[in-house]
Amino acid sequence: MTITDDVDLMDLRPFADGSDHRVFAHLRNTDPLHWNPEQNGPGFWSVTRYDDVKTVASSYESFSVTDGTQIASRRAEGEGARSIHHVDPPEHGPLRGIVTPHVRPVKIKSLEKDVAAVIDSLLDTAVDAGEVDLVATITSQLPLVMIGRLLGAPLEDCPNLLKWTNQMASEDPDYSEGPETAVKARDEVFGYFRGLEKLRRQCPADDLISVLTAAELDGKPLARGYLDAYYLILMVAGNETTRNLLSGGVQLLHEHPKWWQYMRDNPAKIRVVVEEMVRMTSPVLSMRRTATRDIDMHDKTIRKGDKVVMWFCSANRDERVFDNPEEFRGDRFPNEHVGFGWGAHACLGANLARLEAKLFFTRIVERGLRMDVTGDVDRLQSNFFRGIKTLPVTVNRADA
């Protein structure tokens, strides 16, 4: 693959074929603040080095989220009240704080038995079933069931949550006919959760919908727009991050099979292997900010109002920070990746994603199972999420 200086990060082909890491290595070393034109937009700056990504993510006074966090100038929740993704501190803290107590490590750890039970059920279905699609059978189902439980969505409604998530996460032609698909899915999501919300107001339960409907901001109940936006962001983020991490993790182990044996020999180290999966996969590829003032960086000037995109996937392979960054090292420690973002807007569901991934690989090892990839990976066409659409596998007993 020949990489020229006119890199276009709106070209989804490198992301779909898994070669984007070569593009970002080129940018880190030759053009760390890269200007990218847009066919239907004003263009954007890309920061690709680890330290620059952390600087932009941490400096909300200079780099704001209020104009959107995707490259395209749109907000997933529409033009109503903003989600926690699209408000800066100090407004961000109280809004995020409504849910934070319910996703802290101690709270998430209490879900361990439930998560393990769901994993075992999914593995039972796959064991000796012949070739199955890992994504459809297991890695999309686990986070779907768990985020459904946290939100309070009945199990029978989870397929709709998956459909809406797929339609909103990208414009991949397998899921979307264009921006209008995401708008339609968003409106269906709002209608669905408003129905559940009415039920929870009448009969509260131990779920996040009940928490949100009872919550107050500045002494007042959450406005309609805030509620809608929260439902949307929890549904999408709760599904995409974990699904992409699990699917990408299995593909990485297929490419580097010695780490399966390492986990069998060192089950206490599975959490360390998972962190390396997060680094290498980078489930969320990028997030955008908008400059609030003129800023000089790398002998160039970012003008007030310019879009600035942080590429977490590139930062996680920055050779200035990580030794041999293109090598998957399951025992890499320390591993200060930014796979769950950085700063005030770091991933709200990171603790749940880590727990689900650790237990997923732990239960495979504890049950003496073997997971073998049997065909080609089909990657999502997206520069936002690192997704895998299909991955054929067999799940067998290790001694078979």
Side-chain angles (χ1 to χ4, degrees):
M1 175 182 179
T2 301
I3 301 172
T4 59
D5 290 333
D6 57 342
V7 170
D8 181 10
L9 293 170
M10 298 303 288
D11 180 358
L12 302 183
R13 288 174 297 179
F15 299 98
D17 66 24
S19 66
D20 58 282
H21 62 282
R22 300 175 191 168
V23 177
F24 286 114
H26 173 78
L27 289 179
R28 285 195 303 271
N29 291 311
T30 65
D31 193 11
L33 181 63
H34 173 70
W35 176 254
N36 203 118
E38 284 180 280
Q39 185 176 1
N40 299 307
F44 57 92
W45 296 102
S46 284
V47 290
T48 53
R49 291 183 181 175
Y50 181 90
D51 287 344
D52 293 336
V53 167
K54 288 179 70 173
T55 294
V56 172
S58 303
S59 306
Y60 64 87
E61 303 95 336
S62 301
F63 299 98
S64 172
V65 299
T66 56
D67 287 337
T69 55
Q70 298 182 52
I71 296 175
S73 297
R74 61 173 178 261
R75 291 189 283 118
E77 67 270 29
E79 298 305 317
R82 300 173 186 274
S83 75
I84 55 172
H85 265 317
H86 299 129
V87 292
D88 293 313
E91 183 184 358
H92 175 263
L95 189 58
R96 182 182 173 107
I98 293 169
V99 167
T100 299
H102 303 276
V103 293
R104 285 177 176 157
V106 63
K107 177 68 174 180
I108 294 303
K109 187 170 177 57
S110 70
L111 299 173
E112 192 164 321
K113 288 184 178 179
D114 285 345
V115 174
V118 174
I119 292 169
D120 280 337
S121 176
L122 294 172
L123 290 174
D124 287 343
T125 300
V127 168
D128 298 330
E131 186 177 270
V132 297
D133 174 21
L134 174 72
V135 180
T137 306
I138 300 177
T139 59
S140 68
Q141 298 303 313
L142 172 59
L144 188 66
V145 171
M146 293 314 302
I147 197 62
R149 288 188 184 181
L150 283 174
L151 283 167
L155 185 61
E156 59 269 22
D157 293 345
C158 285
N160 280 332
L161 301 187
L162 179 61
K163 179 190 72 172
W164 293 325
T165 299
N166 286 338
Q167 291 174 337
M168 299 191 66
S170 77
E171 292 184 11
D172 187 294
D174 282 350
Y175 303 129
S176 173
E177 296 179 359
E180 63 279 3
T181 299
V183 172
K184 182 175 182 293
R186 180 196 67 202
D187 292 342
E188 290 175 354
V189 169
F190 288 168
Y192 172 75
F193 281 105
R194 288 175 188 178
L196 287 182
E197 179 187 306
K198 290 180 181 178
L199 296 176
R200 293 299 183 272
R201 290 189 188 281
Q202 298 168 1
C203 185
D206 183 18
D207 56 44
L208 290 180
I209 293 180
S210 298
V211 169
L212 289 166
T213 54
E216 293 186 347
L217 193 64
D218 297 328
K220 299 178 181 178
L222 282 186
R224 172 78 271 144
Y226 280 132
L227 286 169
D228 288 340
Y230 236 131
Y231 301 146
L232 186 69
I233 207 70
L234 287 170
M235 184 196 75
V236 175
N239 277 306
E240 284 296 319
T241 302
T242 306
R243 171 172 56 171
N244 297 339
L245 172 57
L246 296 178
S247 304
V250 170
Q251 176 66 18
L252 282 167
L253 291 171
H254 170 66
E255 297 167 356
H256 308 277
K258 72 175 185 179
W259 296 107
W260 274 119
Q261 189 59 47
Y262 177 84
M263 290 191 294
R264 294 186 185 99
D265 295 339
N266 303 277
K269 297 290 188 180
I270 291 177
R271 61 181 181 82
V272 179
V273 182
V274 166
E275 292 302 320
E276 181 70 344
M277 291 175 182
V278 178
R279 184 188 74 85
M280 290 289 284
T281 302
S282 294
V284 178
L285 296 165
S286 64
M287 281 285 176
R288 170 199 150 194
R289 300 290 186 264
T290 302
T292 62
R293 61 182 180 85
D294 289 357
I295 299 156
D296 292 329
M297 183 183 290
H298 295 296
D299 299 321
K300 299 178 183 179
T301 300
I302 300 170
R303 298 297 182 187
K304 179 179 178 180
D306 284 353
K307 296 192 288 188
V308 182
V309 178
M310 304 171 289
W311 293 94
F312 299 124
C313 57
S314 179
N316 281 338
R317 300 195 184 202
D318 190 343
E319 47 283 310
R320 294 155 192 80
V321 176
F322 301 98
D323 184 36
N324 293 323
E326 297 300 333
E327 180 182 354
F328 180 79
R329 293 182 179 177
D331 58 354
R332 189 183 293 272
F333 187 85
N335 192 347
E336 299 296 329
H337 62 75
V338 289
F340 290 119
W342 190 260
H345 289 87
C347 179
L348 188 64
N351 293 322
L352 180 58
R354 283 185 164 105
L355 177 70
E356 289 176 324
K358 186 193 77 169
L359 288 178
F360 175 67
F361 292 104
T362 296
R363 290 305 296 144
I364 292 174
V365 168
E366 288 178 343
R367 292 181 56 169
L369 298 177
R370 187 180 76 244
M371 184 170 286
D372 298 316
V373 175
T374 55
D376 294 334
V377 58
D378 185 11
R379 299 183 187 278
L380 188 71
Q381 296 184 42
S382 173
N383 57 9
F384 188 37
F385 286 114
R386 172 86 70 197
I388 290 178
K389 294 187 288 186
T390 60
L391 185 64
V393 299
T394 59
V395 183
N396 302 299
R397 292 170 180 82
D399 57 359

